[in-house]
Amino acid sequence: MSERPELALRAKELDAADELAPLRGRFVLDDVVYLDGNSLGALPVNVPDRVADVVRRQWGERRIRSWEEGGWWTAPERIGDRIAPLVGAAPGQIVVGDSTSVNVFKAVVAAVRMADAGRDELLVDATTFPTDGYIAESAARMTGRTVRAVTPAELPAALSDRTAAVLLNHVDYRTGRLHDLPGLTAAVHASGALAVWDLCHSAGALPVGLDEHGVDLAVGCTYKYLNGGPGSPAYLYVRRELQHRFDSPLPGWTSHAEPFAMSASFAPAPGATRGRVGTPDILSMLALEAALEVWDGVRIDAVRAKSLALTDFFLECVTAYTEAGRVECVTPGPHAERGSQIALRCPDAGEVMERLIERGVVGDFRHPDVLRFGFTPLYVGFADAERAARVLGELLARTG
């Protein structure tokens, strides 16, 4: 379909009024419409020089001295405190390090260990990212529990005095559905169990409110909406009131109360530090720290408002540019149920996404038939949304 001038004009006006528009200049971008920040965020402009400094000066010149002089040793907690405001947590409750999968394992096993002995069942989100399910099954075997998969909608009815802990995703990675973290956490607590949340697809895109809603433990990656880079370290949140009871299944020398004493027996460090395991991955960790500087002065509420406006506008443009029935939106319409992505179902989704990328619109494909478009409000604009929908319409008209 041809360009709709009224949509292009509205996009221009919306971009002109956007308070977050100047943040685009904090990223390395080109003329591609990049809608895959829910898989890998764009590179912040300050990161390359910072990484070069870490390699050439801190490692190259200071060498071992940088553990103290460069703040390497305290980086996991320091960077955790940088992430904390983005997920609604007070300082001292987040430690950065390891992968999301490792942190899910730590959190789930620790949650089960904190539960009453008679609670023998672990509930896991049936719609979760597969790895979370794999780890939940392993954690259940290791702790002598059983695991049962339920959808978030089924969870309240599935809770019982047998439930030890529940592992849930805040946003469904396929559809972009936002689950009710406050309500589900309250239901879990009412049953006497502990709530573990995976924030990979929500942190940096919308308010989370970990402290406000009494979440027990949470994990998340940093390479999506937090723009930390490929494979950047994940993080683990342990609510302050539970930290003295947090019994990690992976105790390591850096989570010891006296790490350099090299004691034969383990004594856990106080606070969130006991969530550490081994030597911090300094290069990627300090790249993440630099990347987080793009958040200076940014309100997460403003990010959420723009995210909803962007996804609303994109859906309007998709409707205008595509033939009725050619695609089906599987992302919920109500704002309270939507993350920061739009998922469209179409029979030839894999081929369509390949053609979109060739035309300079980058999203991704999820088997078997989902086109996924992630909207990162820090650098995606309304003109990007209009262009993506228009190119999609053109391609679908040719292949219909």
Side-chain angles (χ1 to χ4, degrees):
M1 293 186 180
S2 60
E3 182 175 357
R4 298 280 292 270
E6 71 277 12
L7 291 176
L9 177 60
R10 276 188 52 212
K12 184 176 181 180
E13 293 171 343
L14 289 167
D15 281 331
D18 175 20
E19 66 175 283
L20 299 182
L23 298 177
R24 185 180 177 94
R26 299 183 185 181
F27 293 88
V28 178
L29 295 165
D30 48 29
D31 62 353
V32 166
V33 176
Y34 188 65
L35 302 181
D36 210 6
N38 54 333
S39 285
L40 177 64
L43 172 66
V45 296
N46 63 317
V47 170
D49 287 345
R50 188 68 57 82
V51 171
D53 177 73
V54 172
V55 172
R56 293 173 181 162
R57 183 176 62 88
Q58 297 183 37
W59 179 17
E61 298 175 13
R62 286 180 177 172
R63 292 176 288 276
I64 197 70
R65 292 159 46 204
S66 286
W67 283 106
E68 181 176 349
E69 295 178 19
W72 288 2
W73 183 256
T74 57
E77 293 79 17
R78 182 178 71 246
I79 302 171
D81 285 347
R82 289 294 300 265
I83 293 172
L86 302 178
V87 293
Q93 298 176 100
I94 294 179
V95 64
V96 173
D98 306 311
S99 67
T100 306
S101 300
V102 171
N103 283 313
V104 168
F105 176 74
K106 287 186 271 185
V108 170
V109 173
V112 170
R113 286 177 174 177
M114 284 189 276
D116 295 338
R119 294 178 175 269
D120 62 357
E121 187 173 65
L122 171 63
L123 299 182
V124 62
D125 182 350
T127 66
T128 191
F129 190 76
T131 295
D132 286 14
Y134 305 156
I135 291 172
E137 290 177 0
S138 178
R141 290 197 303 273
M142 290 180 60
T143 58
R145 267 71 171 184
T146 59
V147 63
R148 181 158 57 111
V150 298
T151 68
E154 297 168 334
L155 177 66
L159 293 163
S160 72
D161 58 5
R162 292 185 54 198
T163 309
V166 180
L167 173 61
L168 292 162
N169 269 248
H170 198 188
V171 173
D172 187 306
Y173 79 99
R174 296 183 196 84
T175 67
R177 176 180 289 276
L178 173 64
H179 297 304
D180 180 12
L181 182 146
L184 292 175
T185 300
V188 171
H189 287 166
S191 76
L194 282 84
V196 182
W197 283 91
D198 184 329
L199 309 178
C200 285
H201 286 271
S202 60
L206 52 91
V208 176
L210 292 178
D211 287 353
E212 177 185 358
H213 303 303
V215 169
D216 300 305
L217 301 112
V219 302
C221 68
T222 61
Y223 46 79
K224 293 180 173 61
Y225 296 108
L226 297 182
N227 310 296
S232 56
Y235 57 90
L236 169 69
Y237 165 90
V238 182
R239 181 159 58 89
R240 194 179 309 280
E241 293 81 1
L242 296 178
Q243 289 177 358
H244 70 288
R245 298 172 56 202
F246 181 82
D247 182 9
S248 175
L250 294 172
W253 76 281
T254 68
S255 58
H256 196 286
E258 297 183 64
F260 294 99
M262 301 300 168
S263 172
S265 59
F266 182 74
T273 300
R274 65 177 59 191
R276 292 171 63 156
V277 181
T279 305
D281 40 353
I282 291 299
L283 297 183
S284 59
M285 190 168 291
L286 297 189
L288 167 63
E289 184 172 35
L292 290 170
E293 292 177 6
V294 303
W295 289 94
D296 290 347
V298 178
R299 295 180 301 108
I300 195 67
D301 287 341
V303 171
R304 176 59 168 166
K306 182 178 176 182
S307 165
L308 292 172
L310 275 169
T311 49
D312 279 345
F313 183 65
F314 177 69
L315 286 174
E316 179 183 349
C317 292
V318 168
T319 299
Y321 283 124
T322 61
E323 180 183 353
R326 186 64 176 85
V327 296
E328 174 194 0
C329 182
V330 295
T331 303
H335 287 178
E337 300 174 17
R338 187 193 306 168
S340 198
Q341 73 179 51
I342 294 296
L344 303 176
R345 179 174 289 136
C346 72
D348 46 356
E351 180 182 351
V352 170
M353 184 52 69
E354 289 180 5
R355 303 288 84 78
L356 279 169
I357 293 171
E358 291 172 358
R359 292 282 302 277
V361 176
V362 178
D364 63 22
F365 161 68
R366 285 294 178 265
H367 186 80
D369 58 0
V370 172
L371 300 169
R372 213 174 57 143
F373 302 95
F375 289 82
T376 305
L378 298 187
Y379 55 77
V380 174
F382 293 89
D384 294 322
E386 188 274 337
R387 177 181 161 193
R390 175 163 36 87
V391 173
L392 174 63
E394 293 171 359
L395 290 174
L396 293 178
R398 294 176 187 172
T399 60

